[in-house]
Amino acid sequence: MEDPADLAVTLVDGYVDEPAHFGVPPYVSTYPRYTAGALVDAGVPREQVTYHTIDELRDDRHKWRDVEEADLFIYVGGMTVPGSYVGGTPAEPDEVRELAWTANGTSLMGGPVRFGVGEENAGAQETARDDLDFDFLALADVEAAAYDLVHGGLEGFEDRYRSNDEVARWAREGAFVVEQHPNHPDYLICEMETSRGCAYRCSFCTEPMYGDPAFRSAEAVVDEVAALSDWGVRHFRLGRQADILAFGGDGEAPNPEALRDLYGGIREAAPDLETLHLDNMNPVTIVDYPERSREAIRIIAEHNTPGDTAAFGLESADPVVQEENNLLVTAEECLEAVRVVNGAGGWRPGESPADAPSIGAEAPRRLPKLLPGINLVHGLMGERPETYEHNLRFLERVLEEGLMLRRINIRQVMAFEGTEMAETGADIAEAHKQNFKSYKQEVRERIDRPMLERVVPPGTVLPNVHLEYHQDGRTFGRQLGTYSLLVAVPGERELGRTVDVAVTDHGYRSVTGVPHPLDPNSASMDELVAVPGIGRGRAGDIVVDRPHASLESVPGDDERLQAFFTIDTPEGAD
């Protein structure tokens, strides 16, 4: 029997992306945190738990020694809804297998990887369960497996799900591990679990495999936020749930007071937090319980930080696809849910919610507090050429009504054993791949750009954009938060720092901007030219006529100048 106090444990995070759980940097999922807490609860000293991300191992081969020499090596990861990522690259199956070969001690693998592995992390893939040469594959909760494995002297475990009491302990005990994340503390956002499982059974989704919704208490979530805050975390997302509106209720109907306890408690536990966002919101809840949903959304928008997104799983606007895949709302019902969230949560901070316009010249220059996003999945049973037309028409109606969507996510299905899509697999997605590509581009051109111009008009200020990489003479960065915008600013700036940005122009899913406020006495030509209405000739005049004592001496539209510029009065200027 191995004594837990003598064990050296290495935990590698290969990242996760599930329907209701995200953990690709700058996000850290619950898996490594809860697993670290389970290890400590089982008797492993904190100082003997080493945590690495897969990107760390790619960048520094010396860190593989921690995998090789550990008494217990645990890998957590898995992608069931793969996307495109900037902050990190999820582990590919061959990399995970190499980790298992490297480990000399006992090896355990868990997380959503248990649902299956494809040839690569991409849509239109068929998957199969594979232990990838690990000693143990946790077919239920990896944190429970880690606890039982250590508690039993590394001799084995029975697959099981953890209890809410265990989660409460392990969440608190495992908070320390975030300090070992390479993004800690400034550019790290913790995914928070309020519940898991789902009351509904869509054909392709893995979330029902966790069972019916099991809710944590508001007190337990707040306690976890407090523990993470003590370890320097300032950014949080309530993303580990199928439907935030159902929190504290019966799994379907909203409980506004439970949400008030949750959000109010988080604000008290972490008064200096910088981000409080969410992810999933089920539109069927809004359709079935409109007034209670409005009240719940108002409570969320009172407590969250701007730029929040409630992802709606419409999945398809085609009634044939809806019927064959047990989808929950029609296009018309989803449109009504979009209206409700726009009305209750789509206000921009800076004025009172009742008075502030959310669109137009009089709207405050900040992101709206809470907007819906739309998820569309292709390759589902019943998909036909008309499916693409139905989806486009739905998005066009949202645009025509003057409503706002923060994000439109379009992907191809992955089929997993245990879901209704398992028999169909990726056949439909593969057959329609060319149609999918052209349709996706059409959405980007016809819907995404004008929608982005509505949500983030020129002059909108995006605070604390974290600068991540250089490309083509520009610096790219993002705010921390749910589905944050990619932002490009002129010039190559120091990476790793943050800057406030005023938006100047729009791509399909990204924006360009300039540092805010911009001083015409020190701004570069590229920055001046980027400001709408300035142009190269006027920018040249601004440079030649420096120094400017006030904005009145700067050529250009006064209102536009005030939106982008301020002057630090130079010494000696009139």
Side-chain angles (χ1 to χ4, degrees):
M1 291 281 289
E2 297 280 354
D3 185 346
D6 296 332
L7 292 179
V9 184
T10 295
L11 183 59
V12 171
D13 188 350
Y15 312 143
V16 301
D17 195 352
E18 301 182 80
H21 201 173
F22 189 62
V24 181
Y27 284 82
V28 59
S29 75
T30 66
Y31 290 111
R33 298 175 355 234
Y34 293 1
T35 302
L39 292 168
V40 171
D41 196 31
V44 179
R46 280 182 186 172
E47 60 271 17
Q48 290 169 212
V49 178
T50 300
Y51 168 80
H52 293 309
T53 67
I54 188 64
D55 282 311
E56 283 184 88
L57 297 185
R58 293 184 183 117
D59 294 340
D60 185 354
R61 292 295 299 190
H62 291 95
K63 292 183 178 179
W64 284 73
R65 291 183 61 183
D66 293 330
V67 175
E68 180 182 359
E69 298 173 359
D71 299 307
L72 174 60
F73 163 58
I74 303 175
Y75 171 81
V76 293
M79 319 298 287
T80 62
V81 287
S84 300
Y85 313 102
V86 175
T89 302
E92 293 289 350
D94 287 346
E95 291 180 300
V96 181
R97 187 175 278 113
E98 184 182 357
L99 288 167
W101 296 342
T102 300
N104 288 329
T106 302
S107 59
L108 167 66
M109 178 173 71
V113 69
R114 71 185 176 91
F115 294 126
V117 178
E119 293 184 6
E120 59 178 341
N121 294 321
Q125 292 272 311
E126 298 195 13
T127 65
R129 288 200 170 105
D130 192 333
D131 64 16
L132 297 177
D133 297 332
F134 278 69
D135 296 327
F136 297 101
L137 169 61
L139 292 175
D141 281 328
V142 65
E143 53 266 47
Y147 177 86
D148 293 345
L149 187 60
V150 169
H151 205 259
L154 302 187
E155 294 182 3
F157 59 89
E158 294 292 328
D159 288 308
R160 69 176 178 90
Y161 290 102
R162 32 75 165 176
S163 68
N164 274 343
D165 286 342
E166 286 176 319
V167 174
R169 292 200 311 273
W170 297 346
R172 182 175 58 253
E173 292 287 350
F176 76 94
V177 83
V178 298
E179 197 171 44
Q180 298 183 48
H181 196 289
N183 286 40
H184 182 273
D186 296 327
Y187 197 52
L188 185 67
I189 183 167
C190 285
E191 185 83 309
M192 305 299 297
E193 176 180 317
T194 68
S195 71
R196 64 177 185 173
C198 186
Y200 305 100
R201 300 293 183 266
C202 300
S203 68
F204 60 92
C205 189
T206 56
E207 190 62 22
M209 294 184 186
Y210 292 101
D212 289 329
F215 296 99
R216 299 177 69 193
S217 68
E219 181 182 6
V221 178
V222 170
D223 187 48
E224 182 181 359
V225 167
L228 289 164
S229 181
D230 287 343
W231 286 98
V233 175
R234 296 291 178 268
H235 306 274
F236 304 91
R237 185 177 84 154
L238 305 176
R240 182 66 181 106
Q241 72 273 317
D243 181 13
I244 189 65
L245 293 180
F247 177 77
D250 60 4
E252 296 183 21
N255 184 341
E257 288 311 307
L259 284 169
R260 189 180 299 279
D261 291 342
L262 175 65
Y263 274 85
I266 289 172
R267 281 293 194 172
E268 289 182 13
D272 298 326
L273 70 77
E274 297 175 30
T275 304
L276 179 56
H277 280 183
L278 63 90
D279 189 7
N280 301 298
M281 184 180 288
N282 199 329
V284 76
T285 306
I286 300 173
V287 171
D288 291 345
Y289 307 95
E291 292 310 314
R292 288 162 74 176
S293 294
R294 280 190 181 90
E295 178 60 21
I297 293 164
R298 289 189 191 103
I299 290 168
I300 292 170
E302 287 169 10
H303 292 86
N304 70 352
T305 53
D308 202 356
T309 306
F312 282 179
L314 171 61
E315 318 305 0
S316 178
D318 184 345
V320 172
V321 177
Q322 292 165 1
E323 178 69 25
E324 292 198 28
N325 294 274
N326 308 319
L327 304 184
L328 300 177
V329 291
T330 65
E332 191 62 45
E333 289 170 333
C334 190
L335 184 60
E336 177 57 24
V338 170
R339 295 182 187 115
V340 169
V341 176
N342 269 255
W347 53 276
R348 299 176 190 262
E351 305 281 349
S352 65
D355 299 331
S358 58
I359 297 174
E362 300 304 314
R365 294 188 300 121
R366 293 291 302 277
L367 285 172
K369 290 299 294 292
L370 177 64
L371 290 178
I374 296 293
N375 294 335
L376 296 169
V377 178
H378 286 270
L380 297 177
M381 295 179 289
E383 184 172 286
R384 53 198 177 131
E386 291 90 338
T387 301
Y388 300 98
E389 297 172 11
H390 281 288
N391 288 352
L392 272 168
R393 181 58 192 144
F394 169 79
L395 295 173
E396 286 171 343
R397 288 186 66 192
V398 175
L399 199 61
E400 289 165 1
E401 284 200 22
L403 299 167
M404 293 186 287
L405 296 176
R406 175 57 195 81
R407 175 181 186 258
I408 302 167
N409 181 37
I410 304 171
R411 68 178 181 89
Q412 290 185 292
V413 72
M414 287 185 80
F416 289 91
E417 183 180 338
T419 68
E420 292 182 30
M421 277 298 299
E423 185 175 343
T424 302
D427 292 348
I428 296 173
E430 189 62 38
H432 295 176
K433 188 163 279 190
Q434 285 306 118
N435 290 344
F436 174 78
K437 288 181 178 178
S438 59
Y439 145 84
K440 191 173 182 179
Q441 184 61 29
E442 190 171 5
V443 171
R444 298 294 176 242
E445 293 173 359
R446 289 172 51 183
I447 309 296
D448 274 330
R449 190 193 294 269
M451 183 62 73
L452 199 56
E453 291 171 352
R454 179 178 296 169
V455 174
V456 196
T460 300
V461 177
L462 306 177
N464 299 318
V465 174
H466 185 92
L467 303 180
E468 295 183 271
Y469 65 94
H470 298 137
Q471 184 177 312
D472 299 329
R474 296 186 294 175
T475 304
F476 290 80
R478 294 173 298 168
Q479 296 175 294
L480 274 175
T482 295
Y483 309 120
S484 54
L485 286 167
L486 186 63
V487 182
V489 294
E492 294 195 351
R493 298 176 172 273
E494 180 184 350
L495 301 181
R497 56 185 290 264
T498 60
V499 61
D500 295 349
V501 174
V503 173
T504 59
D505 203 358
H506 306 79
Y508 297 139
R509 306 189 76 189
S510 62
V511 297
T512 56
V514 294
H516 179 81
L518 196 63
D519 187 343
N521 287 316
S522 58
S524 70
M525 273 291 290
D526 286 341
E527 289 169 342
L528 293 170
V529 170
V531 174
I534 296 296
R536 185 160 296 276
R538 189 170 291 165
D541 293 339
I542 292 173
V543 171
V544 169
D545 293 339
R546 287 172 176 168
H548 300 276
S550 67
L551 287 182
E552 284 74 20
S553 69
V554 179
D557 177 81
D558 288 345
E559 185 175 336
R560 191 181 300 274
L561 291 175
Q562 290 176 10
F564 290 94
F565 293 121
T566 191
I567 288 183
D568 293 329
T569 305
E571 189 174 341
D574 293 334

